[in-house]
Amino acid sequence: MSRTVAMAIAPGALHPWDLYELGVVASIFGTPQPDLADPWYELKVCSVDARPQTQPIGFGAFLRAEHGLDDLLTADTVIVPSVAAECVTAERELPPELLDALAAAHRGGARMVGLCDGTFALAAAGLVEGRRVAAHWVHAEMLSKRFPGIEVDDSVLYVDDGDVLTSAGMTAAVDLCLHLVRRDLGAAVANQLARRMVIPPHRSGGQAQYVDRTVPAHPADDLGVVLQWAVEHLDEPLTVETLAARANMSPRTFHRRLHRSTGATPMQWLLDQRLAHAQSLLETTDFNIERISRLSGLGTATNLRRHFSSVIGVTPAEYRRTFARPASMG
């Protein structure tokens, strides 16, 4: 089975942070794992400019691209890991030959992936019009303004829209790339690879991959107040009907609006808030587990442990040992 991955490198000075996404792609797709799957992926680094192209990428490091844009057209997966800052802000346009190649690769059946601000390249190539995409919260507003025809979601680690996948910044690139391995080679292979990388195979709620869902930075006007109220009353028994009534909506309408605004169902959103509050209490207080369970609205210590282990991946006690702040205890 062919598993060719082409990494498209856009011209221009890259920020040192961009090294992270480049390294993620190279580590996951460019490092053979014959004991997990043989053949593994074949990674091609592709440049707009004449090849082989050596491009400075900061701290005295250089990236050597051995392949050109024509290799995008024959790849199974095309990944844009980043673009230069001036291309994000529209001070400089991305090369039309790169955008044309991305569009042609997609028409040819390639799976298209944008990591962090690499999504700007996919958007400029017209590949995400009318779609939902993930974005780092720093870039979300700018991405929405530049490309108003797409739905930008800064509350998730990544979005899988079938043939186009996008991630938020930095470590979210790992989540998305592991998801691609899981899609291609199965959960067992992805889980083994994650163990080798010393990272969890899933973060924050399994395949949903949501980060902590606090009140959205830009919630709908008719949801922001009620969501903030809910966060302040997590120790009370909250139901969809209760929240819907405070929002002056039917439960069905509230469910739909909340999902559209946050990407979560009401009950999942509430669970995430309760767990986030429990995490904060574990970090900053010496309250026992039973008290934290009550204050976070999870009821019993057994319930807290069950949800905490399922979503966070460790027990509350383990989490406290790792993240407790002694100066804030009491």
Side-chain angles (χ1 to χ4, degrees):
M1 176 182 177
S2 175
R3 299 191 186 96
T4 304
V5 175
M7 180 164 60
I9 305 301
L14 300 179
H15 192 282
W17 280 3
D18 297 325
L19 294 174
Y20 188 90
E21 281 90 0
L22 295 173
V24 167
V25 176
S27 297
I28 291 181
F29 300 109
T31 305
Q33 309 283 345
D35 58 321
L36 297 183
D38 193 13
W40 192 247
Y41 296 89
E42 178 187 6
L43 177 64
K44 295 183 177 181
V45 181
C46 304
S47 171
V48 172
D49 300 312
R51 54 190 186 276
Q53 172 68 22
T54 301
Q55 179 172 333
I57 50 178
F59 291 106
F62 294 83
L63 180 68
R64 184 178 176 86
E66 298 285 350
H67 301 274
L69 295 180
D70 52 335
D71 286 281
L72 301 185
L73 308 182
T74 58
D76 302 298
T77 301
V78 174
I79 300 178
V80 185
S82 58
V83 297
E86 58 267 29
C87 295
V88 171
T89 58
E91 297 172 46
R92 181 165 63 84
E93 297 297 326
L94 286 162
E97 57 267 37
L98 171 61
L99 303 183
D100 291 343
L102 293 174
H106 184 239
R107 288 195 302 271
R111 179 173 58 184
M112 310 301 292
V113 180
L115 303 180
C116 193
D117 54 24
T119 300
F120 281 82
L122 301 189
L127 305 184
V128 292
E129 186 71 18
R131 295 180 185 251
R132 173 170 163 259
V133 301
H136 192 295
W137 60 269
V138 169
H139 299 138
E141 185 175 358
M142 185 173 296
L143 187 60
S144 294
K145 286 182 177 179
R146 288 193 57 192
F147 306 99
I150 64 178
E151 179 186 350
V152 180
D153 192 339
D154 62 0
S155 69
V156 295
L157 294 176
Y158 66 77
V159 169
D160 181 343
D161 197 23
D163 57 342
V164 177
L165 301 92
T166 52
S167 79
M170 299 297 287
T171 54
V174 181
D175 294 287
L176 178 50
C177 289
L178 278 178
H179 174 71
L180 292 171
V181 174
R182 189 177 300 111
R183 270 182 48 169
D184 295 340
L185 303 174
V189 171
N191 292 347
Q192 285 289 349
L193 181 59
R195 291 188 185 99
R196 291 181 182 180
M197 299 175 69
V198 199
I199 56 175
H202 300 278
R203 282 203 290 159
S204 295
Q207 292 186 9
Q209 294 292 323
Y210 289 105
V211 294
D212 295 335
R213 298 190 195 99
T214 54
V215 176
H218 304 287
D221 292 341
D222 51 356
L223 287 183
V225 173
V226 69
L227 295 185
Q228 184 61 49
W229 178 87
V231 169
E232 295 169 356
H233 294 80
L234 292 174
D235 57 336
E236 300 177 11
L238 301 176
T239 66
V240 177
E241 288 74 20
T242 300
L243 299 179
R246 293 193 68 88
N248 294 316
M249 299 178 187
S250 69
R252 184 172 181 175
T253 299
F254 181 80
H255 186 289
R256 184 175 65 253
R257 294 293 302 278
L258 181 66
H259 188 273
R260 187 167 61 194
S261 180
T262 69
T265 66
M267 297 315 296
Q268 183 62 55
W269 184 87
L270 271 175
L271 175 61
D272 286 345
Q273 303 314 306
R274 295 188 192 284
L275 288 173
H277 189 46
Q279 286 177 280
S280 177
L281 292 173
L282 287 166
E283 293 174 20
T284 60
T285 76
D286 58 0
F287 297 162
N288 61 35
I289 299 300
E290 288 75 13
R291 185 176 182 184
I292 291 176
S293 302
R294 293 193 302 272
L295 291 174
S296 60
L298 289 168
T300 66
T302 299
N303 205 31
L304 171 61
R305 292 189 182 98
R306 178 169 62 85
H307 286 299
F308 210 89
S309 297
S310 174
V311 175
I312 309 302
V314 296
T315 66
E318 290 172 322
Y319 184 88
R320 170 169 268 168
R321 281 196 295 271
T322 302
F323 294 104
R325 308 171 199 165
S328 301
M329 298 287 276

